[in-house]
Amino acid sequence: MKPEAVLVESKPYHHGDLRRALLRAAIDVLEREGSSALSLRAVAREAGVSPAAPYHHFKDKSELLGAVAAEGFERLRVAIAAALDAARGQDVRSAMGLAYVEFARANPALYRVMWESARNSEGVPNDGRDIGDPFEFVRDSLREATQGRLSELDIQLTAIASWCAAHGLAEISTFIQFAPLKEAMGGEQAFLKAVLDHMGFVTRHDG
Amino acid sequence: MKPEAVLVESKPYHHGDLRRALLRAAIDVLEREGSSALSLRAVAREAGVSPAAPYHHFKDKSELLGAVAAEGFERLRVAIAAALDAARGQDVRSAMGLAYVEFARANPALYRVMWESARNSEGVPNDGRDIGDPFEFVRDSLREATQGRLSELDIQLTAIASWCAAHGLAEISTFIQFAPLKEAMGGEQAFLKAVLDHMGFVTRHDG
DNA sequence: TGTACATCAGTGAACGCGCGTTCACTGATGTAC
DNA sequence: TGTACATCAGTGAACGCGCGTTCACTGATGTAC
């Protein structure tokens, strides 16, 4: 039986927006304790709810994970769009690449879940909502930025290559063994730029 | 590589080389059932031994995982060295890159374990044996191949960039959504080469 | 060469744990009349 | 406007499971004498 709370602190029986709260809780757990700690029970615990509650919003654990990944992709798409907007047409690929890497570095565990999820399904998890696939987003931006100077195939391949480079850079820059080199180069950003530079990230096609 | 004892038909009480057998069993489980199935008990089961037996060879599960990763790195180093040998001085970076990607594609679950292990420690797990760090191996090969045409910093950064590109390519090429594109381009190899090409994998420094 | 014995490398049962999931339930909410 | 009632969204206890690890044990092996 619930206390008849006259004061503000009473917790309502119905949450109101538990689905969203669970996604937020999942991402919190993920970044705080790593992906091995991401259990359904841990998410429920984090959201302050019983272990059975999530089942009113997700069919099972894998559906929750898919939704977490979809949420991550949505955030990534927003981040890339913002960076693209700030770069205003100049150095489009580099701006998108750096935004991608920064997102992955800022949300490493979420990024891994997103990657796993995309790998294990066809493309990016959709969650039923109308989210944009970041890969398609990058490819379309690239097409727009190069305005007919690249063939459709070249656009496709360049988008894939850019994605490879960004993913590789995002993951490799987590290695602790590069710390001295980073410091010697004047920080993370300088390090990332230097590596991108040595990869020929901006390809010869629009040198 | 050490010559192996002859396998006898009867199962002796003492295994003879259980340590090595456990590593082999672990890699088998990994590639057959994926990394989520890689438990100490599953490895023991696969090796036909009781769940407690591994504790005579590894302190705990994480030590087993480290040894598995080390074994993987040793195999990778051998594969890269072989490819380098076959390429005989021409197109060194591309040969190493392709060998790397092929290894990762052929042993995806093992590759993930290796990557996780390298990320979570300083550099590559050593396992007490004298194995070569593949990154150092690549860097040294690069230094040798470019013979003074690159500064030490450029060599370092180029090696990192190459590693990024190879890792990204290895992981991205697992995506099922690229299957039609691969087919249109005439197979996996052609696809990989085309993406590498669009990345400017061979950098401007010795293009 | 035979033997006592320490050491090595297995066994199999047991432990406590957190997990995903199910279940009967109940409190809260929305709606038809 | 008030009320009956279906539906929604929680609870909390319980389940079976596989896990990592420990334990007392025992069979096999190597060595000193």
Side-chain angles (χ1 to χ4, degrees), chain A residues 34-61:
Chain A
S35 61
S36 70
L38 188 68
S39 63
L40 245 184
R41 297 181 88 103
V43 171
R45 227 179 287 130
E46 177 80 14
V49 108
S50 84
Y55 285 89
H56 287 284
H57 300 272
F58 303 99
K59 192 178 127 285
D60 54 18
K61 192 195 178 185

Side-chain angles (χ1 to χ4, degrees), chain A residues 20-43:
Chain A
R20 192 164 280 274
L22 286 170
L23 290 181
R24 213 178 309 122
I27 292 176
D28 286 350
V29 169
L30 212 42
E31 294 306 340
R32 178 157 28 84
E33 301 171 56
S35 61
S36 70
L38 188 68
S39 63
L40 245 184
R41 297 181 88 103
V43 171

Side-chain angles (χ1 to χ4, degrees), chain A residues 167-186:
Chain A
H167 174 69
L169 193 54
E171 292 225 311
I172 224 165
S173 65
T174 65
F175 280 82
I176 213 141
Q177 54 188 312
F178 294 139
L181 184 56
K182 280 180 196 172
E183 198 162 338
M185 300 204 53

Side-chain angles (χ1 to χ4, degrees), chain A residues 93 112 115-116 118-119 121-124 133 135 153-158 160-165 167-178 181 185 191 194-205, chain B residues 93 112 115-116 118-119 121-124 133 135 153-158 160-165 167-178 181 185 191 194-205:
Chain A
R93 228 166 306 169
R112 301 302 295 217
W115 189 267
E116 283 300 313
R119 194 228 306 278
S121 58
E122 325 241 327
V124 158
D133 179 332
F135 174 67
L153 182 62
D154 276 340
I155 288 171
Q156 187 85 1
L157 288 171
T158 304
I160 296 175
S162 301
W163 195 8
C164 282
H167 174 69
L169 193 54
E171 292 225 311
I172 224 165
S173 65
T174 65
F175 280 82
I176 213 141
Q177 54 188 312
F178 294 139
L181 184 56
M185 300 204 53
F191 172 77
V195 176
L196 277 180
D197 193 47
H198 282 76
M199 209 171 337
F201 182 74
V202 176
T203 74
R204 75 186 84 115
H205 294 286
Chain B
R93 228 166 305 170
R112 300 303 295 217
W115 189 267
E116 284 300 314
R119 195 228 306 281
S121 58
E122 325 240 328
V124 158
D133 180 331
F135 174 68
L153 182 61
D154 276 340
I155 289 172
Q156 184 86 2
L157 289 171
T158 304
I160 296 175
S162 302
W163 195 8
C164 281
H167 174 69
L169 193 54
E171 293 225 309
I172 224 166
S173 65
T174 65
F175 280 82
I176 215 142
Q177 55 188 311
F178 294 139
L181 184 57
M185 300 203 55
F191 171 77
V195 175
L196 276 180
D197 194 46
H198 282 75
M199 210 172 333
F201 182 75
V202 175
T203 74
R204 73 186 86 112
H205 294 288

Side-chain angles (χ1 to χ4, degrees), chain A residues 23 27 65-81 100 103-104 107 110-127 129-138 163 167, chain B residues 172 175 177:
Chain A
L23 290 181
I27 292 176
L65 248 63
V68 167
E71 171 71 19
F73 276 111
E74 171 64 13
R75 293 187 186 183
L76 172 57
R77 214 209 73 241
V78 167
I80 293 179
Y100 184 99
F103 178 89
N107 314 275
L110 175 58
Y111 180 73
R112 301 302 295 217
V113 168
M114 291 159 60
W115 189 267
E116 283 300 313
S117 174
R119 194 228 306 278
N120 294 335
S121 58
E122 325 241 327
V124 158
N126 195 288
D127 198 17
R129 298 177 298 161
D130 181 26
I131 67 162
D133 179 332
F135 174 67
E136 286 172 14
F137 182 75
V138 164
W163 195 8
H167 174 69
Chain B
I172 224 166
F175 280 82
Q177 55 188 311

